[in-house]
Each structure stands twice: as structure tokens, then as C-alpha cells.
Amino acid sequence: MEIKGIDFLQFLDVTKMSEEDKKSWEAVSESFKKASVEFFKGNIDMDKLKEEIARSIKASDDFKKPNLDEFVKGEEYKKKMEEVEKTLLDMKGEMETASKGGNKEKSLEEQLREGLKDCIKIKDGVEKVNLRKACEESPARRKKITLSISQKAGTIISGGVAPHTGIYLDPKLSVDPRQQTVIRRFANIASIGDRMVYITEYVPGAGNAEWVPEGGLKPAMDAALTETNVSLGKVALTAKFSEETLTDLPQLVAEVRAEIISRIGIKEEDGILNGTGAGGEIVGVLPSVPGFVLTDLTVPTPNMYDAIVASYTQIVSTSKMNYRPNLVLMNPIDVATMRLTKDSQGRYLLPFKYGDELIDDLRTESSTAVNQGEFFMGDFNFLNIRDRTDLEITWGWENDDFTKNLVTCLGEKRLLVYIKKQYITAFLYDSFENVITAITA
């Protein structure tokens, strides 16, 4: 397994730096990349890695300037170094696990039990959790546990601005997959170590493959390559529980699943589709997805099912079978409408096949992130979700929680989503009304 160093600049907000300051940090980053490789290989420990960063800073006259000197001595830089340490330790742990043959998926209960093991006692055959003790013994009186989400694809941890290189690891631990968003079960998912992803998009032009005689001129295709970046967003939620409610481990698991994981999942899915990019939200994919434009298909008295088949046909025909839609997301009311549709004699039409499939290998799933009367279909292997951090759960006290025997639970995660331009025709987003009108004979 090839090991690449980590770019230290990914932990800093370079957009607010002058070009001169950025160059100063680039020199530090080069030393950090080399040291991080040695850390991953086990040749140095975390303390030595920190020493290398400090040595690089002291060796540069640039950091004697008031603004940089003040920064590296301040609280913000201290917090950055804590983030660096956590990220690298997590990555090294994943690499070590992967080298031993991968991970065994753990349930939400197993992960919480492991994170709270020092505060759990068995009483009358029931696992009792002492969250007060867990908070009191944790830094800043905040108990934090990271819950990893299972992924279909291998984990990609970017080594810097080059998004397609990095350290490839086995899938991480998982929470109960039923609590994940629908889209996550079908999308291309990976983890990243950067605050943003730089992607290279290929926009094909004229020309195509042709049969050529021996010695004949080979056809050429015009194409354009563009580079763009996609930034992270954060989704978070806090909820208050009584200490008594969270005393039993099974009850704690149930509350975290219902009040934190599920609610964050719902908001995440809405952001993946409809995010505006404002107020910390990610930019959703729907604004860039094409609608129905096929003109060669007509149906007498078409219905919603016909609209789905026509949309599927557009994707596979225009791509010459390069894309095979595997998911159509519909509002729950529209799914119910299709299921309850009857013929003139009152018999259910039942277009759904076994496993909620409308067409072979095309799953139908409900999502409130899709407006009633609309649907989103595509080959979701080309929809990319990149997780910067797994779901983090933190327990602690705020205001008068302590005197009221309450515990505040905070859940948060950071992610981004994108579809490359060359694969945008693998998707379709439109209304049933528009498609039905377009295919009516």
C-alpha cells in the first residue's frame, strides 16, 4: 500500500492568507508531509511529529514576523494542532486495522459500549451507564464518541490538493444501516482529509470511436478539462435528556438513534439534494441535474409508472447503455399513489416488483427531500459523498443542566457531495406532470 504524506495546509484557512504568508506555510507543509509518512510507517511517534512542525517553524525567519508569531502562539493554532493529531491518529488506526485484514462492522450499541466502557457497570443483569462520571473525567467535561458509518467503497483519504491520490483503506465501522440516509446506500462514498475536494471534470466534444483500416487515420475527439473545488458543510443537532433516561445502555442507544442519528440523517439527505451552499450548508446536486427531454417515445394515456419507464429510457439510450439507473427517489405520497393505482375494474395495477423494484435493478425509495409530484432518478454510482468527519456524539452540561440532572447531547458531521459534469446525464430530475405531458401520444 502506497503511503502519501498529508498536506498541512488543509488544516488552515488559506483563503484569508496573503500570498507571502501562504508561501511560509507551504515550506512547513513540505516538512510535515515527509514527517507524516514516517509517522504512518511507525518510524516516529506523535511527539516527534509535533517536534518536526515546531522545528520547521523555528527554522523560518518568516515566522518571526508579528502576525505569524502571534498566530502560532495563540489558542487557534493550538486547536489546529489538536485537530491534526486526531486526524492522523484516526488515519493510522484505520491503516493498522486494514493491514490486519479489514474491519468487522460494529453496531451502534457496540460502538457506544466501547466508547463508554469505563463508565458502564452491570446491575441486576442490565448495563448501567454513568454519564456524569464520563463527562467529569473527560477534557472540558465533554465526553465525545465518534460513530463511523459503513461505506460501500474503500475509504479514500486525500493527500492534499490531488483528489485522486491518497491512502486507500478498508471500510470503517458502521452504525445500524437502517439509520443511514437512503442515498448513502447507493452512492459512491469515501472519507477525505481535506476541507474541500478539487475535482477534474472531463467535458467531451465532437468525435467518437470508429472502425479504421490498417494504417488509416484514427478519429480524434475534442474535449475540455476543467478543475473546480467543492467545499464542506456541517450538519449538527443538540438534544437534552435526563440522566435517568440515559442510565441504561439500551435506552441510551435508542435515544441516540432516534433523536440524533435519524434527525441528522434526514437533514443530511435534504442537503445532498437541495443544499444552497449558504449558512454552512453543502451545495446540493439537484440544480445541476437535467430534466426529461426525450422526444422519440409516446404512450397512450400514460401514468406515473410510464413516466418512470420513459425517464429510465432517456438515461440508458442517450448514454448508449453506459449508465444504468439503480435508484429513483420519490416523495412518500407519490409512492403511495402508485401503489394504490387501480384499473377501470378496481384492480390494483401493482407496478412494483419484488424488493420495491419498478424495473430490473431500479429500486424505488421514499424521501421527504423530494417534493411531491417530482422524482430523482439516476445511476448513483456517480453521485459522490465525501465525509470529512464521521458522526461525532458529545455529551456534556450547559447552563443549568447539572442542577436539573440533564445532559446535553450534541451530534455533528461534516461532508460534501458532487456529481462530475461528464456524468450528469446519468441522472434525471423532473415532475411526473411534465414527463406525462411529454410522452402523451
Side-chain angles (χ1 to χ4, degrees):
M1 177 173 63
E2 182 183 5
I3 298 177
K4 293 184 178 293
I6 302 302
D7 185 359
F8 189 74
L9 291 178
Q10 70 186 39
F11 298 98
L12 304 173
D13 187 358
V14 296
T15 61
K16 297 180 181 179
M17 289 185 187
S18 66
E19 285 300 316
E20 187 177 358
D21 286 352
K22 186 176 178 181
K23 288 180 181 179
S24 300
W25 282 110
E26 284 175 348
V28 174
S29 185
E30 285 302 313
S31 298
F32 180 73
K33 281 184 180 180
K34 297 177 182 178
S36 62
V37 171
E38 295 303 308
F39 172 75
F40 289 137
K41 290 181 177 180
N43 295 332
I44 62 174
D45 58 17
M46 180 57 67
D47 289 337
K48 290 290 185 182
L49 183 66
K50 292 179 180 178
E51 288 176 10
E52 178 58 30
I53 301 174
R55 187 199 62 76
S56 299
I57 290 175
K58 289 179 180 178
S60 173
D61 290 336
D62 292 341
F63 285 89
K64 295 178 182 178
K65 292 184 296 184
N67 64 322
L68 291 180
D69 181 60
E70 182 178 334
F71 175 73
V72 297
K73 292 178 180 178
E75 282 299 314
E76 184 180 352
Y77 180 71
K78 182 179 178 181
K79 291 180 180 178
K80 294 294 181 187
M81 290 308 302
E82 290 175 354
E83 182 181 350
V84 169
E85 181 175 356
K86 179 183 182 303
T87 300
L88 266 64
L89 288 172
D90 287 347
M91 290 169 62
K92 186 174 183 181
E94 291 163 5
M95 293 172 63
E96 291 173 348
T97 304
S99 67
K100 297 176 183 177
N103 293 302
K104 173 185 176 296
E105 290 191 353
K106 293 187 178 181
S107 67
L108 173 60
E109 182 172 345
E110 288 173 325
Q111 291 185 71
L112 289 175
R113 180 185 290 112
E114 184 175 307
L116 297 167
K117 61 184 178 181
D118 294 333
C119 306
I120 295 177
K121 292 184 178 180
I122 298 178
K123 183 178 180 181
D124 299 327
V126 178
E127 291 176 294
K128 298 291 185 179
V129 183
N130 188 340
L131 272 181
R132 183 181 291 264
K133 176 184 176 184
C135 294
E136 289 175 344
E137 295 180 352
S138 300
R141 300 170 74 86
R142 299 284 190 272
K143 180 61 179 179
K144 179 180 291 187
I145 297 176
T146 299
L147 303 177
S148 298
I149 299 174
S150 65
Q151 302 169 10
K152 294 194 312 176
T155 303
I156 303 173
I157 300 177
S158 173
V161 297
H164 305 299
T165 61
I167 304 166
Y168 289 77
L169 307 172
D170 284 348
K172 296 184 177 180
L173 310 180
S174 70
V175 298
D176 185 340
R178 292 173 297 178
Q179 300 303 318
Q180 295 182 47
T181 61
V182 171
I183 293 176
R184 278 189 175 271
R185 302 206 305 267
F186 296 86
N188 182 336
I189 303 174
S191 291
I192 57 173
D194 297 345
R195 294 178 180 273
M196 63 176 61
V197 167
Y198 291 80
I199 58 175
T200 302
E201 298 178 312
Y202 172 77
V203 184
N208 210 336
E210 301 287 351
W211 294 100
V212 294
E214 188 69 30
L217 181 65
K218 282 72 175 177
M221 181 174 69
D222 297 328
L225 288 174
T226 61
E227 187 175 272
T228 186
N229 62 69
V230 185
S231 298
L232 291 161
K234 178 188 283 190
V235 57
L237 175 69
T238 62
K240 290 185 182 294
F241 305 100
S242 68
E243 291 185 18
E244 291 83 358
T245 300
L246 303 182
T247 298
D248 295 341
L249 181 62
Q251 175 71 359
L252 185 148
V253 172
E255 293 291 343
V256 169
R257 178 181 286 123
E259 301 300 334
I260 302 294
I261 297 177
S262 294
R263 292 176 185 271
I264 284 181
I266 292 170
K267 196 63 178 180
E268 174 190 314
E269 186 151 284
D270 182 68
I272 289 172
L273 298 186
N274 306 304
T276 62
E281 191 176 22
I282 58 177
V283 177
V285 299
L286 286 188
S288 63
V289 173
F292 185 79
V293 295
L294 194 64
T295 58
D296 300 331
L297 180 63
T298 57
V299 181
T301 61
N303 56 27
M304 296 171 70
Y305 173 69
D306 297 319
I308 294 295
V309 175
S311 300
Y312 182 94
T313 303
Q314 171 176 306
I315 293 174
V316 297
S317 62
T318 57
S319 71
K320 300 186 185 299
M321 306 296 285
N322 283 326
Y323 310 132
R324 290 293 186 94
N326 58 352
L327 175 65
V328 55
L329 284 176
M330 298 165 55
N331 187 275
I333 295 177
D334 292 322
V335 173
T337 300
M338 287 188 67
R339 290 183 183 278
L340 298 175
T341 301
K342 302 175 184 178
D343 63 17
S344 58
Q345 298 181 29
R347 296 172 299 191
Y348 289 105
L349 295 180
L350 296 175
F352 293 87
K353 299 181 179 181
Y354 177 78
D356 286 339
E357 291 183 357
L358 282 171
I359 303 171
D360 287 344
D361 298 323
L362 176 67
R363 287 275 302 180
T364 305
E365 295 282 355
S366 300
S367 174
T368 54
V370 179
N371 295 328
Q372 185 180 351
E374 300 174 348
F375 64 93
F376 179 35
M377 176 191 295
D379 187 338
F380 279 70
N381 293 299
F382 297 99
L383 188 149
N384 303 282
I385 299 174
R386 299 292 180 256
D387 294 314
R388 174 68 173 85
T389 57
D390 294 312
L391 177 61
E392 292 184 338
I393 301 292
T394 304
W395 288 279
W397 296 298
E398 65 176 7
N399 302 327
D400 57 353
D401 283 357
F402 187 86
T403 58
K404 292 183 177 180
N405 287 336
L406 296 177
V407 177
T408 296
C409 183
L410 166 65
E412 57 184 338
K413 67 186 303 186
R414 300 174 68 189
L415 70 150
L416 57 84
V417 61
Y418 63 91
I419 301 172
K420 289 189 176 183
K421 289 181 180 178
Q422 62 262 41
Y423 303 125
I424 201 66
T425 54
F427 299 87
L428 186 151
Y429 181 62
D430 214 323
S431 70
F432 285 103
E433 182 180 1
N434 287 346
V435 179
I436 288 173
T437 300
I439 65 175
T440 299

